[in-house]
Amino acid sequence: MTPASSPAPDHRRPTASELSDAAGNFMIRMSVIGCETDAALDRTRDRHGRTVHPGAADAARAHRNKAAVEAYRTHLAPHAEALLDVARLVLDELPPAQHLAGWQAVLDGLHASTVEIHRIIERPADSGSEDERAQHAALWPHLTVWADHGYIASNLADQRDGGQHQKSPLPDAERRKWTEMAVAAQQRGALELTEAWFAADGQPITLAYLVEDDESIVVALRGDPGAPGWQVIGHYEHEYEAGKDLPSPVPSGVLRRNCSRFNRLPPAPEMPLQDLIRDVVEGHAAGDASNALLCAVQGGYAAGPMIRLRELVETSAQFASALETVQGQQISARLSALGRQIEFLTHEVQEAAEDLGATVAVLPPHRTPGPRIRPRPAVDTSPPVPPPLASRPARHR
């Protein structure tokens, strides 16, 4: 084929869905890289989480950085700016909502990282050199900005076709009738909530099964189902029909803004609870059990399991409160109370452990250990005779 007969290059602009897919492919690839790196770093630590092979850990991170740069070049580099342009256009067309300022800040952060990424990759260092490793390390924080927050730009691009609006809204009279039916069903326990999301205007939408006359109907609720004032905005035969009619979900929020799946702090050394139980079982003196209990309640960097449990409960209380629903607030109060109880229990365990440590005592000698390997029977010993068949209980089907 001569050059004159070669087909012309395709200069077609990618669609919004194609731009969104490019970002999605990059984020999927980054998730795989993150999982592989976590597994590699785990192999460099001891059973308590301490890094014992720093060279292997550095090599794992260098491999991670290089793979992330290659993933960006393959999936996102040609489309990042175009995706951000589409996302900004859609953002400007959305109805006013509380989250739009945060999304604008995310898009600005993605743009700043994109500019920095392109500035660095346009001047590549020699392959395999220390300068290249330094470049990849400098790129990693900017690549993780896309890996952590690119889904917001991708979702905005997906909304370009008007997915933020309901296709067939109910008339006012029918909406009031169905709302009254759903409220009555909720009061008698016949309204089962199944799925929830937020629309582009910041209003929550919840799917539920409404049981009426032994028939189950899918209804869509707008507002907090745990507070007065919610209403039914649609009823459907099944969830698929509801998904085609209702506003598309927008990305859900995060509990803490500075959290990153790809830039976690190294895990703090910890003593597994099973190890502490084993220390007590294998101990001989009161101090052995006392030390295990004190390890469970110690605070600080290498906090014990009881301290971590309290942190988990208190963080979950913050999460439930951040849901900003009536039920979430109630559960948050319960979890906060449980956190205080765990704190009180922790102090009690610590005092008991200290008292046990002050007990100068050992286990009495009559608690003799039992051999784990039983003596084998003599060679000429006959095996036990099984009971006669008549004495066995009959099996019934």
Side-chain angles (χ1 to χ4, degrees):
M1 180 181 293
T2 62
S5 61
S6 301
D10 185 9
H11 294 293
R12 179 182 62 86
R13 294 175 62 87
T15 64
S17 61
E18 290 172 340
L19 295 173
S20 176
D21 290 343
N25 292 334
F26 172 73
M27 288 182 283
I28 291 174
R29 179 59 188 143
M30 286 291 285
S31 295
V32 173
I33 293 171
C35 292
E36 293 174 346
T37 304
D38 288 343
L41 291 175
D42 285 342
R43 292 192 291 268
T44 68
R45 304 184 180 111
D46 63 10
R47 57 199 303 267
H48 302 301
R50 296 183 291 259
T51 300
V52 293
H53 302 292
D58 292 341
R61 295 188 184 94
H63 178 77
R64 174 201 67 184
N65 298 343
K66 181 178 180 180
V69 173
E70 293 173 353
Y72 182 87
R73 284 197 175 108
T74 301
H75 300 291
L76 200 52
H79 309 294
E81 286 294 351
L83 174 60
L84 291 175
D85 291 341
V86 172
R88 291 190 188 96
L89 291 175
V90 176
L91 185 64
D92 293 339
E93 297 172 357
L94 292 180
Q98 184 178 0
H99 57 269
L100 297 189
W103 284 5
Q104 183 63 61
V106 169
L107 295 183
D108 293 342
L110 291 172
H111 173 72
S113 290
T114 302
V115 171
E116 186 65 16
I117 291 170
H118 290 177
R119 184 188 69 80
I120 296 176
I121 64 176
E122 287 174 358
R123 300 175 182 177
D126 295 336
S127 179
S129 64
E130 287 298 323
D131 289 340
E132 185 187 49
R133 288 169 65 107
Q135 276 189 346
H136 292 169
L139 284 168
W140 172 253
H142 299 288
L143 296 172
T144 58
V145 170
W146 270 101
D148 282 323
H149 309 306
Y151 67 93
I152 291 181
S154 179
N155 182 271
L156 284 169
D158 287 336
Q159 294 187 51
R160 193 174 189 181
D161 60 355
Q164 62 268 30
H165 303 293
Q166 186 177 3
K167 306 298 187 301
S168 303
L170 291 179
D172 292 343
E174 189 174 0
R175 186 171 64 249
R176 286 193 296 269
K177 182 189 76 171
W178 278 93
T179 300
E180 293 173 358
M181 291 172 55
V183 170
Q186 186 185 48
Q187 293 173 349
R188 66 175 185 269
L191 188 68
E192 179 185 354
L193 308 182
T194 61
E195 185 180 1
W197 67 88
F198 279 87
D201 59 359
Q203 288 294 317
I205 295 177
T206 306
L207 288 185
Y209 286 111
L210 190 156
V211 180
E212 188 80 19
D213 297 331
D214 295 331
E215 292 186 1
S216 180
I217 305 169
V218 177
V219 294
L221 318 178
R222 189 178 187 88
D224 181 3
W230 58 268
Q231 57 182 335
V232 174
I233 61 173
H235 56 90
Y236 313 92
E237 293 184 0
H238 43 71
E239 292 89 341
Y240 179 72
E241 182 184 0
K244 293 192 300 181
D245 177 62
L246 294 170
S248 302
V250 299
S252 54
V254 294
L255 180 61
R256 295 172 181 170
R257 298 187 53 167
N258 59 348
C259 179
S260 172
R261 158 70 178 83
F262 299 92
N263 291 296
R264 295 171 176 168
L265 294 175
E270 62 179 359
M271 180 68 72
L273 190 58
Q274 293 185 24
D275 289 357
L276 299 178
I277 296 173
R278 186 184 61 188
D279 289 345
V280 175
V281 171
E282 296 176 352
H284 297 279
D288 298 328
S290 173
N291 289 336
L293 288 172
L294 291 174
C295 285
V297 298
Q298 72 176 355
Y301 175 65
M306 291 195 68
I307 303 299
R308 296 300 186 198
L309 176 61
R310 191 188 73 199
E311 292 176 358
L312 172 62
V313 172
E314 291 175 348
T315 305
S316 298
Q318 298 170 11
F319 185 96
S321 177
L323 295 175
E324 298 183 4
T325 63
V326 171
Q327 191 173 16
Q329 298 298 324
Q330 295 171 349
I331 296 174
S332 176
R334 289 170 55 191
L335 290 172
S336 297
L338 289 173
R340 291 190 294 270
Q341 293 178 26
I342 295 174
E343 184 177 11
F344 172 78
L345 180 61
T346 299
H347 292 311
E348 291 292 309
V349 171
Q350 182 173 359
E351 291 182 3
E354 293 171 350
D355 292 342
L356 182 60
T359 302
V360 182
V362 297
L363 293 174
H366 65 77
R367 303 186 64 89
T368 57
R372 299 190 59 181
I373 301 178
R374 302 193 178 194
R376 298 180 59 183
V379 177
D380 57 350
T381 302
S382 300
V385 179
L389 295 177
S391 65
R392 295 182 179 178
R395 297 180 63 184
H396 299 281
R397 289 183 174 270

